[in-house]
Amino acid sequence: MSYRPARKADRKATLFNKGIFTIYLYIIIVHSCFQRDGIAVSDYHSPSKTGIDEAMIERLVRRFYEKIRADELLEPIFASRIDTWEPHLQRMFAFWSSVTLMTGRYSGNPMQKHIALPIDADHFDRWLEIFAETAAEICPPAAARLFVEKASRIAQSLELGIAQRHCQLINREQRFYRPKTPS
């Protein structure tokens, strides 16, 4: 392969990319000045600014799983795998502490735990619906929004992984539905 000097079009592309980068930085700086729920966006994902603590996590997780155990769609999935709830709740406290407070208390592989479950987009939608409802009930608005944003990303990642296990390559805009079995 031989070296060729940069063409005028290449130089323009480089200048264009530098311009886009400058605009991107400007947007980040301006965006950080805005506020949501009285919290600067730059601090929005800071648990100290949202009021999230271990006690809030425990209240949220306990109430959420109370609702799960009463849900027609999700209860059978959990009941088939969880005999004793307290160890599961303790793992979920550690998980959400790691996710929101970055404590590192959770060590595990959520994908590995979920990959073989008989779940699809309907289950994730219901799980997120109950989670968002519970977060709004238990947490102040900024904390609820942070929990729901993180839960949504986690659910999307798990759904993509489960779809891939079933040899379905989907993107973030697509959903995974299991084939319906004849009754």
Side-chain angles (χ1 to χ4, degrees), residues 128-155:
L128 283 169
E129 180 183 346
I130 295 170
F131 192 85
E133 173 187 293
T134 308
E137 185 182 298
I138 300 291
C139 307
R145 188 172 288 124
L146 179 63
F147 275 115
V148 172
E149 285 175 2
K150 291 190 179 283
S152 296
R153 280 190 232 118
I154 291 164

Side-chain angles (χ1 to χ4, degrees), residues 92-137:
M92 294 301 94
F93 302 156
F95 175 79
W96 284 105
S97 175
S98 292
V99 168
T100 59
L101 300 176
M102 294 171 243
T103 61
R105 287 183 45 213
Y106 178 81
S107 62
N109 184 336
M111 185 63 73
Q112 186 178 34
K113 296 283 186 186
H114 291 82
I115 199 94
L117 295 176
I119 56 178
D120 65 14
D122 292 333
H123 297 89
F124 285 109
D125 290 346
R126 183 66 183 139
W127 185 89
L128 283 169
E129 180 183 346
I130 295 170
F131 192 85
E133 173 187 293
T134 308
E137 185 182 298

Side-chain angles (χ1 to χ4, degrees), residues 27-164:
I27 290 169
I28 289 173
I29 292 165
V30 170
H31 183 69
S32 69
C33 297
F34 294 127
Q35 297 209 347
R36 194 185 315 170
D37 299 323
I39 298 169
V41 171
S42 60
D43 294 332
Y44 187 70
H45 290 284
S46 170
S48 63
K49 303 288 183 178
T50 60
I52 296 172
D53 60 13
E54 298 288 348
M56 182 186 295
I57 291 169
E58 183 170 343
R59 285 192 313 274
L60 173 64
V61 169
R62 284 193 186 280
R63 181 70 181 119
F64 171 68
Y65 281 104
E66 284 174 20
K67 292 179 179 188
I68 290 292
R69 285 182 272 186
D71 187 75
E72 189 177 295
L73 179 64
L74 298 177
E75 187 276 335
I77 304 295
F78 285 88
S80 69
R81 284 158 180 78
I82 300 174
D83 296 323
T84 309
W85 276 92
E86 195 56 32
H88 178 70
L89 295 175
Q90 292 298 322
R91 270 191 308 281
M92 294 301 94
F93 302 156
F95 175 79
W96 284 105
S97 175
S98 292
V99 168
T100 59
L101 300 176
M102 294 171 243
T103 61
R105 287 183 45 213
Y106 178 81
S107 62
N109 184 336
M111 185 63 73
Q112 186 178 34
K113 296 283 186 186
H114 291 82
I115 199 94
L117 295 176
I119 56 178
D120 65 14
D122 292 333
H123 297 89
F124 285 109
D125 290 346
R126 183 66 183 139
W127 185 89
L128 283 169
E129 180 183 346
I130 295 170
F131 192 85
E133 173 187 293
T134 308
E137 185 182 298
I138 300 291
C139 307
R145 188 172 288 124
L146 179 63
F147 275 115
V148 172
E149 285 175 2
K150 291 190 179 283
S152 296
R153 280 190 232 118
I154 291 164
Q156 184 179 55
S157 174
L158 291 172
E159 186 177 339
L160 289 169
I162 291 169
Q164 186 175 4

